């Protein structure tokens, strides 16, 4: 969602500001000049036109004149306040009431065209209110989709566990079938546990705004450790992993958060690469950043799949859906954001995928 700007709110949304306040001041000044001119004309010409007027009648006439001007001025100002402040606030209040009841289709039309000379702080408030409602509607949709996806992902392994546990109640089941059922139940339990763990981990990442554990550390060593941890899986699937990395590359980030990036990206590269395929990892330091590019020659993605690959529970290639839950790349994106980095994905269907991550290098101390 959009960042809120706290410091400039009073100036941005002041009720008597911008064209409105300027218009009132200018109108008041002009009115005062005209009123003063009218009074001078009244004092000068009224006794000449009506010589019988003595000074008392003239004083009353001037008093009535100013009273009439005050009433007219108050009416005009009241009208302006009603049209420019009270009525817009009433519209905002009614719209806010609908939003509070869950209606996110509310739209409050600004009074003037954006960018026009009459566009004022009230119009800006209406525009920002509409943006807020649209964002809330999007969040509500995402929440509903998230609940639906979580329910679906949890229901499947639970159904497997229930079905195979029921089958194991058969006292006549032979040992081989019983062991197969037990392995299936364990696999479904592990998948369910992984789902819950990833949901909690992603929720923690999304709720985190300050990386308190950020420090300078060697990214090359971290990449080496991750490669060694996955080496058996690459060997088991008969996928080659080529590495081209420097001797050392210092970055400033939280090692635990950054580790999520490599485990998920390398895991995806392995998952979507067929046996006998090839995965490469290239690391370079340049211009204050450290970049890591992980490429595979797997199934690749279409532009539409690339656009949605960071969405929660999204899995473009459903043939590999059983191997994950669609939360890995969502965690990767959030981990990159928290690390003040940048991620880029290039891919073509049937030609593999390359994921490039750039992280800020650690600042070098100048020592003479």
């Amino acid at each position: 969602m959009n960042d809120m700007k706290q410091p400039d709110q009073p100036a941005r949304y002041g009720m008597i500001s911008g064209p409105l306040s300027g218009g009132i001041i200018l109108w008041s000044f002009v009115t005062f000049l005209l009123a003063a001119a009218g009074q001078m004309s009244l004092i000068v010409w009224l006794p000449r036109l009506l010589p019988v007027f003595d000074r008392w009648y003239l004083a009353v006439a001037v008093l009535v004149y100013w009273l009439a001007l005050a009433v007219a001025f108050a009416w005009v100002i009241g009208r302006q306040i009603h049209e420019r402040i009270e009525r817009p606030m009433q519209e905002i209040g009614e719209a806010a009431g609908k939003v509070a009841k869950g209606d996110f289709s509310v739209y409050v039309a600004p009074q003037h065209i954006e960018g026009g000379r009459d566009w004022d702080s009230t119009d800006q408030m209406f525009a920002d209110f509409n943006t807020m409602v649209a964002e809330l509607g999007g969040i509500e949709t995402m929440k509903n989709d998230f609940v639906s996806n979580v329910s679906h992902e949890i229901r499947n392994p639970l159904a497997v566990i229930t079905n195979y546990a029921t089958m194991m109640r058969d006292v006549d089941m032979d040992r081989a079938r019983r062991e197969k059922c037990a392995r299936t139940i364990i696999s479904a339990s592990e998948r369910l546990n992984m789902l819950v763990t990833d949901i909690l981990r992603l929720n923690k990442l999304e709720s985190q705004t300050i990386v308190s554990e950020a420090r300078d550390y060697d990214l090359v060593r971290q990449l080496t450790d991750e490669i060694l941890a996955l080496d058996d899986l690459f060997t088991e699937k008969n996928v080659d992993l080529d590495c081209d990395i420097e001797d050392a590359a210092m970055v400033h980030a939280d090692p635990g958060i950054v580790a999520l990036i490599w485990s998920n990206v390398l895991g995806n590269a392995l998952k979507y690469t067929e046996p006998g395929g090839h995965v490469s990892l290239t690391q370079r330091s340049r211009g204050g950043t450290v970049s890591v590019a992980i490429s595979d020659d797997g199934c690749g993605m279409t532009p539409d799949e690339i656009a949605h690959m960071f969405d929660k529970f999204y899995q473009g290639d459903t043939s590999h859906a059983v191997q994950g839950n669609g939360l890995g790349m969502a965690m990767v994106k959030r981990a990159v954001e928290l690390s003040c980095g940048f991620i880029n994905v290039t891919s073509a269907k049937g030609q593999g995928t390359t994921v490039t991550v750039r992280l800020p290098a650690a600042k070098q101390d100048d020592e003479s």
Side-chain angles (χ1 to χ4, degrees):
M1 290 198 177
N2 300 330
D3 293 334
M4 296 181 65
K5 298 181 179 180
Q6 298 290 347
D8 62 345
Q9 293 299 327
R12 190 177 187 182
Y13 300 123
M15 289 297 95
I16 306 295
S17 63
L20 175 57
S21 61
I24 291 178
I25 293 173
L26 179 61
W27 184 83
S28 301
F29 181 70
V30 172
T31 301
F32 177 78
L33 291 180
L34 293 177
Q39 176 182 319
M40 293 300 297
S41 299
L42 187 66
I43 294 174
V44 172
W45 291 104
L46 191 58
R48 294 184 181 182
L49 295 175
L50 299 173
V52 297
F53 262 63
D54 59 22
R55 63 180 61 185
W56 293 105
Y57 286 110
L58 182 60
V60 172
V62 171
L63 180 61
V64 171
Y65 170 79
W66 280 105
L67 181 61
L69 285 178
V71 171
F73 184 81
W75 183 85
V76 172
I77 292 297
R79 185 72 176 173
Q80 287 287 323
I81 292 176
H82 174 75
E83 291 295 325
R84 305 296 292 271
I85 299 177
E86 292 181 355
R87 187 172 59 82
M89 291 303 99
Q90 183 178 2
E91 293 182 18
I92 284 285
E94 294 175 354
K98 294 179 181 179
V99 173
K101 295 179 181 179
D103 182 5
F104 298 106
S105 63
V106 175
Y107 177 81
V108 183
Q111 300 177 11
H112 308 98
I113 300 176
E114 184 173 3
R117 61 182 300 177
D118 293 328
W119 182 269
D120 60 15
S121 58
T122 303
D123 296 314
Q124 185 63 54
M125 183 185 298
F126 280 17
D128 289 346
F129 179 84
N130 293 329
T131 301
M132 179 195 70
V133 174
E135 291 290 338
L136 288 174
I139 292 173
E140 183 70 14
T141 301
M142 290 176 59
K143 184 193 74 174
N144 294 335
D145 291 343
F146 181 79
V147 172
S148 176
N149 289 325
V150 169
S151 301
H152 175 75
E153 292 291 337
I154 291 178
R155 188 183 298 115
N156 287 343
L158 284 179
V160 172
I161 293 173
T162 302
N163 291 337
Y164 279 87
T166 302
M167 291 172 58
M168 292 182 68
R169 296 176 63 183
D170 184 0
V171 295
D172 297 328
M173 179 180 292
D174 58 69
R175 182 181 180 86
R177 290 188 61 194
R178 189 177 297 276
E179 290 181 354
K180 181 180 179 181
C181 289
R183 287 195 301 270
T184 303
I185 292 175
I186 292 173
S187 176
S189 300
E190 290 175 345
R191 182 181 176 186
L192 185 59
N193 180 66
M194 181 184 300
L195 172 64
V196 174
T197 301
D198 286 347
I199 290 175
L200 294 176
R201 186 177 294 166
L202 179 59
N203 180 69
K204 180 180 178 180
L205 289 174
E206 290 183 334
S207 302
Q208 190 171 352
T209 57
I210 299 176
V211 184
S212 58
E213 302 297 328
R215 59 180 176 85
D216 294 348
Y217 73 96
D218 186 3
L219 182 66
V220 172
R221 178 180 292 275
Q222 185 182 54
L223 289 172
T224 303
D225 292 341
E226 191 62 39
I227 291 169
L228 292 175
L230 296 174
D231 184 63
D232 290 342
L233 296 178
F234 276 89
T235 302
E236 181 181 345
K237 193 174 180 180
N238 191 28
V239 174
D240 292 332
L241 176 60
D242 292 337
C243 300
D244 183 7
I245 58 180
E246 300 171 325
D247 293 334
M250 301 299 293
V251 297
H252 184 79
D254 185 332
I257 292 178
V258 176
L260 293 173
I261 302 174
W262 316 132
S263 62
N264 281 284
V265 175
L266 282 171
N268 274 354
L270 175 62
K271 180 170 67 174
Y272 292 105
T273 301
E274 297 300 325
H278 178 82
V279 174
S280 66
L281 186 152
T282 304
Q283 176 271 319
R284 290 290 183 270
S285 300
R286 180 182 303 171
T289 62
V290 178
S291 65
V292 178
I294 300 174
S295 303
D296 64 66
D297 55 9
C299 58
M301 294 181 290
T302 64
D304 183 65
E305 289 172 340
I306 295 175
H308 292 283
M309 68 176 296
F310 296 112
D311 295 348
K312 299 172 186 175
F313 296 103
Y314 180 79
Q315 299 188 74
D317 186 359
T318 55
S319 63
H320 297 81
V322 70
Q323 303 177 33
N325 50 46
L327 292 177
M329 293 309 293
M331 285 192 289
V332 167
K333 181 181 180 182
R334 183 56 182 161
V336 171
E337 291 174 349
L338 288 173
S339 303
C340 300
F342 172 80
I343 184 169
N344 180 59
V345 180
T346 57
S347 183
K349 201 66 177 178
Q351 300 181 21
T353 301
T354 297
V355 178
T356 303
V357 177
R358 295 184 180 89
L359 298 175
K363 294 182 179 179
Q364 301 293 330
D365 295 330
D366 296 331
E367 296 181 1
S368 55

